[in-house]
Amino acid sequence: HWLMLALVTFKTLTLLTQAIMYLVIEKQGSPHGWNWVYYVTTALRGSLFFAVIVLIGTGWSYMRPFLDDNTRKVLMVVLPLQVGVAIVHKLHWFFCVCALWVACRMV
């Protein structure tokens, strides 16, 4: 539970640093170091997320006898959906940044 709390905390810190970075870019034109804070918190959040998934994966064999069939089916659906959402979110962000860069270059 403490690891999940840390994951939620780093997710919150990532969103906060991203918001501050965009605010500084809007006000001053460049992030002035906030981009590195955002990159570090994003990397730590990603590492922590990977560790949580690995721990859940290894604990699956220990938890299997205690889970009923309905809970097992829910976990088998929710975990791949969560990974898929994370991948789609990163791809969406990448293509939006690329489109913005192209639009800025055309101006």
Side-chain angles (χ1 to χ4, degrees):
H1 290 89
W2 291 107
L3 200 57
M4 289 301 293
L5 178 66
L7 182 62
V8 170
T9 303
F10 272 102
K11 173 68 177 173
T12 305
L13 285 174
T14 302
L15 291 174
L16 180 68
T17 56
Q18 184 180 20
I20 292 172
M21 182 179 71
Y22 284 140
L23 181 69
V24 171
I25 288 173
E26 182 182 333
K27 299 288 184 192
Q28 298 177 358
S30 66
H32 295 293
W34 280 102
N35 55 345
W36 290 106
V37 176
Y38 170 70
Y39 297 146
V40 168
T41 56
T42 302
L44 290 173
R45 182 191 56 144
S47 301
L48 200 55
F49 181 69
F50 180 74
V52 167
I53 294 298
V54 166
L55 287 173
I56 289 172
T58 57
W60 177 257
S61 61
Y62 298 117
M63 294 292 292
R64 189 176 308 188
F66 303 109
L67 297 175
D68 59 345
D69 287 334
N70 190 25
T71 307
R72 194 175 306 158
K73 288 177 186 175
V74 168
L75 285 176
M76 292 295 287
V77 171
V78 168
L79 287 177
L81 283 176
Q82 185 71 28
V83 172
V85 165
I87 291 170
V88 168
H89 177 70
K90 291 296 180 186
L91 289 175
H92 178 334
W93 180 82
F94 174 74
F95 287 120
C96 286
V97 168
C98 288
L100 181 63
W101 182 81
V102 169
C104 288
R105 295 287 293 177
M106 293 178 74
V107 170

